[in-house]
Amino acid sequence: MRIDAVSIFPSYFDVLGISLLGKAQGRGIVDFHVHDLRDAATDKHRTVDDKPAGGGAGMVMKAEPWGVMLDRVIADSGVADPLIIFPSPAGEVFNQRMAKELAKEQQLIFGCGRYEGIDQRVFDEYASRYRVKLVSIGDYVLNGGEVASLAMIEAIARLLPGMVGNPESLVEESHEDGLLEYPSYTAPASWRGHEIPQVLLSGNHKLVAEWRHQQRVKRTREVRPDLLETAEDKAG
Ligand code: JCK
């Protein structure tokens, strides 16, 4: 998969080189490129923002540099049907199902806005020529699209074929019953007076599986009852 990110803060993406994506890149699973939007600005101050039309607080990202940069990225990568993702507080909320769908794409382009966001005509123009998605990573306000893109890239990249560091855990995720995880333990059996639950040391695999399922239901009921409704629906 090819992944491009356009940003006025390209160094946000430096961390990708040391994590999961560094390995994926090294193994040829992901081809990641970051682009500085200011390289597409035309004035000597490399301006990418301006006052909002109609007035109001803050600044808006100008359409022209986005047009120049996105046309360049699309032309240079040579993929006919990229999916362009704009992180946005007004987007569809990202989830594991979306990560799985996005992991099937040949190229993802993340357009990272700043300030109050990007001139609406950039979305309109690219939606008329390509597939465009506005995506939010959750109901809280960030200062720009970079951190949202990093979260999405990590969630997507770990699903790519050949990226599996831990095959069994991906098989379990693929059950996707919508319940939260069970609690995990490792040695020592006793730590600062906290014990590993006896059942996990019993060697009885059926009892262990039952206990883990009970823990998942209990946790989900306590902290995410919204998920439990979905999980019950799925179970029929
Ligand atoms: C992209 C600029 C900053 C801050 C105006 C928003 C009511 C608009 C995001 N889950 C997420 N939260 N925030 C983002 C995100 C924020 C961004 C950009 C993504 C580009 N900003 C900003 C405030 C506003 N308010 C709510 C009005 C933009 C994602 N993904």
Side-chain angles (χ1 to χ4, degrees):
M1 169 184 276
R2 172 156 173 152
I3 301 178
D4 292 83
V6 177
S7 167
I8 60 167
F9 295 121
S11 55
Y12 263 97
F13 295 89
D14 289 356
V15 288
L16 291 177
I18 59 172
S19 62
L20 194 77
L21 210 68
K23 283 184 206 162
Q25 181 112 297
R27 288 196 247 162
I29 297 161
V30 172
D31 182 19
F32 179 74
H33 300 262
V34 61
H35 313 271
D36 187 342
L37 181 68
R38 289 193 195 278
D39 292 346
T42 49
D43 64 315
K44 72 169 180 182
H45 293 113
R46 310 219 299 162
T47 308
V48 294
D49 63 318
D50 204 341
K51 291 175 289 185
M59 297 292 268
V60 174
M61 290 190 116
K62 294 166 66 59
E64 297 100 317
W66 277 104
V68 168
M69 183 56 83
L70 289 173
D71 285 352
R72 186 186 296 168
V73 167
I74 294 164
D76 290 355
S77 54
V79 175
D81 61 340
L83 178 61
I84 308 175
I85 298 170
F86 291 103
S88 165
E92 181 186 345
V93 178
F94 186 75
N95 60 19
Q96 190 63 23
R97 181 184 306 142
M98 202 187 292
K100 281 185 155 189
E101 288 302 311
L102 297 179
K104 298 173 185 169
E105 295 287 335
Q106 195 184 344
Q107 183 185 17
L108 299 176
I109 301 174
F110 289 87
C112 304
R114 279 269 148 182
Y115 313 109
E116 298 302 306
I118 305 171
D119 188 311
Q120 178 63 35
R121 294 170 294 180
V122 174
F123 310 127
D124 300 343
E125 162 69 6
Y126 287 91
S128 79
R129 293 165 54 194
Y130 302 100
R131 292 173 299 140
V132 166
K133 268 178 102 72
L134 269 62
V135 182
S136 164
I137 63 162
D139 294 340
Y140 39 82
V141 182
L142 302 171
N143 277 333
E146 287 79 6
V147 166
S149 294
L150 286 169
M152 289 189 266
I153 290 167
E154 183 161 309
I156 294 160
R158 64 186 290 284
L159 299 177
L160 296 175
M163 205 44 239
V164 204
N166 184 348
E168 262 185 63
S169 64
L170 276 189
V171 170
E172 280 188 27
E173 280 174 40
S174 77
H175 288 229
E176 235 159 45
D177 51 16
L179 295 176
L180 299 182
E181 303 300 306
Y182 53 78
S184 296
Y185 300 84
T186 188
S190 180
W191 178 75
R192 298 190 180 183
H194 304 272
E195 314 298 324
I196 293 180
Q198 195 52 51
V199 60
L200 298 179
L201 308 174
S202 70
N204 185 329
H205 300 304
K206 186 156 183 282
L207 276 183
V208 168
E210 281 170 6
W211 180 85
R212 285 177 170 165
H213 180 72
Q214 289 163 8
Q215 290 294 307
R216 298 183 68 203
V217 173
K218 175 175 139 68
R219 266 191 173 179
T220 308
R221 190 179 291 130
E222 284 168 3
V223 309
R224 292 293 303 277
D226 58 312
L227 290 182
L228 202 54
E229 279 169 38
T230 320
E232 281 163 358
D233 286 349
K234 280 180 188 168

